Structures are given as structure tokens and as C-alpha cells.
Amino acid sequence: MTSSKFEPNDEILDFVIKKANGLKGLVDRSLEIIPNQCIQPKEHRLYKSQIHNQESIPTIDLSDFDDLNVEKSIQEAASKWGCFQIINHGIPIEVLEDLKDVGHKFFELPPEEKVKYCKDNYSAGESVLMFWSAIGEKNEKVLEWRDSIKHGCNPQNDSNLWPPQTRNQVLEYQKWAKPLGKRLLEILLKGLNVNVIDESLEPLLMGTMSININYYPPCPNPSITMGARRHCDGSCITLLFQDGTGGLYVRETEGDKWIHVNPIKGALAVNIGDLLQIMSNDRYKSIEHCVVVDSSRARISVPLFVNASLDSVIGPFPQMLKDGEKPVYKHILHSDY
């Protein structure tokens, strides 16, 4: 399979997805006009008037994880903001920079290499998957301006199926990030009077994990596209590394203003996901967020999703209901969520 030449009348979804050219393939062909299939409806764009420039999410220094003030800061940020940045978290900056570098290298591969990781039919437990997000009805799907590859960190360790270009660097990141994710969850659960992640809770909180590498190519007209539409994560928590100036915006929990998460070098952003909001009975907030793209440079982001196993039953922790507090949510099987 050779790199496809894109003509204006070609079927965009076929060119981008089935032929694995990606959004990068469009940009590489000196695209000047955004195809209709990439133009986001006005209600899904982010406008300057919606951005709160005087506000920022908390930045928490994890130099002393055992400091009670650190624990309190994490719990308060999860309750008020649903998102915060962490510095001095213990992951070497070289590990993060290597992730960024291999992300660029992978997406610069020719489509005949990348297509090996594409599938027409796939499940939530895939070990590896290159994918694109096209939202809408069948004949009206709109592509987000992003190419992505998922690395499923399954208990059976299928990392041999991952691309050789990214495998070692993602495994190294996983080695550092998994205990960090567990420590953050322990602190968050402590704020819910759940004092230990034992063998019964680990599948509920950390039963599955996946590490995505997202590539946002430069866009001729960023104002009418989105790298990721506004959404909430379906995880327990998400750890996010973003390079450069970053394109992540989070919505205030009250109101309709959006805040730019300006990445500090070496920092990670932490998002509370839907599952932990449910388990906390709304004590912690699953934050709505989106990603904008840049007109002049490509960007990389690497989210690590910490999830429940698919056979877990999700609902408010019993500890949240001891003082007569009523459950906000019914219990549901994670695979049905």
C-alpha cells in the first residue's frame, strides 16, 4: 500500500481512516481549505469569549506525598475543579520527552505501516488500535482534528502487539505512571473514608489501563475545528502529559467559562473521570474538557486512562451513604456504562 494522493472530491473518511493517512495525511498535501467533514458545528467550537483568562486550575507539588496538606489539596481540587496539575511527581522528564518524540515518529510513518494497527471492528479491550473520532450520524460525521493510537495495558501484557516504534517508551512510562496513579487514587479515596485499595477494590479502580498517544497536526483554520470536542472521561482518573503550550481547556464546574491548562514543563494534568464521580456520589467532579489545535505546529498529548475492569459493578461507595446520604446513582455494570 502506498501513500494516497488526496483529491478534493475524494471521500474524506475513506482517505483518513480506511487508508490510514490520518489528518496528518491531509495536512501533508498542503491542505488550504478545511473539508466539510472536519468543520465542527458552531455549538461544539470554543470561542475566545468563552475563555476565562484570569483563572487557572491548581498546581500541586508532590515532593512530599505524605504531607497532610498535599492530601487535602488533592481532595479539594478534585471536589472543586475536577482537574489539577501535579509537579515533582517522580516521573523523570526524560521518560516524558521520549514519549513525545516517539509519538511524532510514529505518526510520521507511511500509511502502509500505520494501517497495520487499524480495525473495522474492535472492542474496549483491544491491545492496540489506531483510531480517529468521527462524531455524528452516519452521513454527517465530523472528524476531530486528531490522529490517535491506543496501547491497552492489559493484565495479560499484550505489549508485543504494540508498534515497535512506541513499545519500549510506553512500557517505561507505564512502569512509572501506574504506581503514581494508585497513590493518587489512595489519597482521593481517603477523602471518601475508603482507607485502603485492597484486592477487592483494585479491579474496581485499576482493573484496566490504556495509554493513548494523540497527534494534533497543524490546522489551516483552527477556529472551525477541534482536536477533541467537549467531553468528560469515562475513567476513574486520567493522567495527561501534553507538550508545548498545550491545547487543553477545562470547563468551570459552575458557569460556562473555560480555562486553559497551560502545561508546566514536566507536569501532568489529572482529570477526575465519570466513574470516580459516581463512586464518590458526586463529591468529586468529572470535568468537561476539550482540546483546540494550532495553526503552525503539531502537538502531542498522552493520556493514561485508569479504569475499572469491564465486569466491575459501579456505584456509590457504601462509606458515602453512612450518614443518611442518599445515592445519586444506581449501580451499573461497567461494560454496560
Side-chain angles (χ1 to χ4, degrees):
M1 181 178 178
T2 58
S3 180
S4 305
K5 181 180 179 182
F6 173 69
E7 300 293 346
N9 294 327
D10 281 355
E11 171 52 53
I12 295 291
L13 298 183
D14 183 69
F15 177 85
V16 169
I17 299 175
K18 290 189 177 181
K19 296 179 181 177
N21 288 283
L23 275 301
K24 185 179 187 301
L26 291 180
V27 174
D28 286 347
R29 284 148 184 81
S30 301
L31 183 75
E32 295 181 359
I33 299 176
I34 304 296
N36 288 335
Q37 294 92 334
C38 299
I39 298 176
Q40 292 291 337
K42 291 182 179 180
E43 64 270 21
H44 292 294
R45 303 175 196 172
L46 186 64
Y47 298 96
K48 290 183 179 180
S49 60
Q50 295 176 286
I51 297 171
H52 196 321
N53 292 313
Q54 305 303 316
E55 194 64 89
S56 61
I57 65 169
T59 298
I60 301 173
D61 188 338
L62 301 187
S63 298
D64 186 358
F65 240 140
D66 296 323
D67 187 332
L68 292 179
N69 289 324
V70 172
E71 291 188 1
K72 185 178 179 181
S73 295
I74 290 171
Q75 294 159 0
E76 288 181 349
S79 178
K80 180 180 178 181
W81 295 95
C83 183
F84 51 93
Q85 287 197 94
I86 52 175
I87 58 174
N88 297 319
H89 44 64
I91 301 178
I93 185 66
E94 295 82 8
V95 173
L96 300 175
E97 290 296 317
D98 285 348
L99 268 183
K100 179 183 71 174
D101 292 343
V102 299
H104 283 284
K105 289 176 181 177
F106 175 80
F107 287 104
E108 288 166 2
L109 291 173
E112 58 264 28
E113 288 294 320
K114 292 182 288 190
V115 77
K116 298 174 183 177
Y117 307 104
C118 300
K119 296 181 181 180
D120 290 331
N121 299 301
Y122 55 88
S123 65
E126 293 290 345
S127 299
V128 62
L129 181 69
M130 188 171 176
F131 67 96
W132 294 267
S133 181
I135 303 172
E137 299 299 323
K138 184 175 181 180
N139 297 322
E140 298 178 357
K141 289 186 179 296
V142 178
L143 279 164
E144 295 177 325
W145 201 264
R146 179 182 80 249
D147 301 335
S148 301
I149 184 163
K150 169 190 173 181
H151 304 76
C153 306
N154 301 317
Q156 61 268 33
N157 188 13
D158 294 334
S159 60
N160 60 303
L161 301 176
W162 297 352
Q165 295 83 4
T166 62
R167 183 184 302 131
N168 291 339
Q169 290 78 9
V170 172
L171 281 172
E172 181 68 12
Y173 178 59
Q174 180 189 355
K175 181 184 78 175
W176 290 91
K178 184 175 180 180
L180 173 62
K182 183 174 183 179
R183 188 74 181 93
L184 288 167
L185 280 169
E186 287 173 340
I187 290 173
L188 289 165
L189 264 62
K190 192 174 178 181
L192 306 176
N193 297 316
V194 181
N195 292 320
V196 64
I197 300 179
D198 56 21
E199 290 185 0
S200 66
L201 278 181
E202 188 151 335
L204 179 65
L205 295 161
M206 304 184 66
T208 62
M209 295 173 57
S210 64
I211 297 173
N212 292 359
I213 300 180
N214 298 322
Y215 179 88
Y216 305 93
C219 177
N221 190 350
S223 65
I224 61 174
T225 62
M226 292 295 292
R229 281 191 191 184
R230 56 190 69 180
H231 66 285
C232 295
D233 292 340
S235 58
C236 292
I237 60 172
T238 303
L239 307 184
L240 177 72
F241 168 63
Q242 51 174 346
D243 73 341
T245 56
L248 177 65
Y249 286 79
V250 299
R251 186 176 182 175
E252 293 179 327
T253 52
E254 297 181 3
D256 194 33
K257 288 292 186 179
W258 292 77
I259 301 167
H260 181 217
V261 181
N262 191 19
I264 301 165
K265 188 175 178 62
L268 297 175
V270 181
N271 290 346
I272 303 301
D274 290 350
L275 298 188
L276 193 56
Q277 175 168 330
I278 292 171
M279 295 176 198
S280 72
N281 208 37
D282 273 355
R283 185 76 55 85
Y284 297 145
K285 307 301 182 187
S286 178
I287 188 70
E288 191 176 19
H289 52 285
C290 63
V291 178
V292 301
V293 292
D294 194 276
S295 61
S296 59
R297 63 183 294 270
R299 286 201 296 243
I300 292 285
S301 73
V302 185
L304 184 156
F305 300 100
V306 183
N307 261 311
S309 61
L310 292 175
D311 59 356
S312 294
V313 177
I314 309 299
F317 286 122
Q319 291 89 335
M320 302 302 302
L321 310 176
K322 282 186 174 179
D323 297 325
E325 183 175 338
K326 294 183 178 180
V328 178
Y329 304 96
K330 296 180 179 179
H331 285 73
I332 186 172
L333 189 66
H334 183 214
S335 59
D336 293 336
Y337 175 69

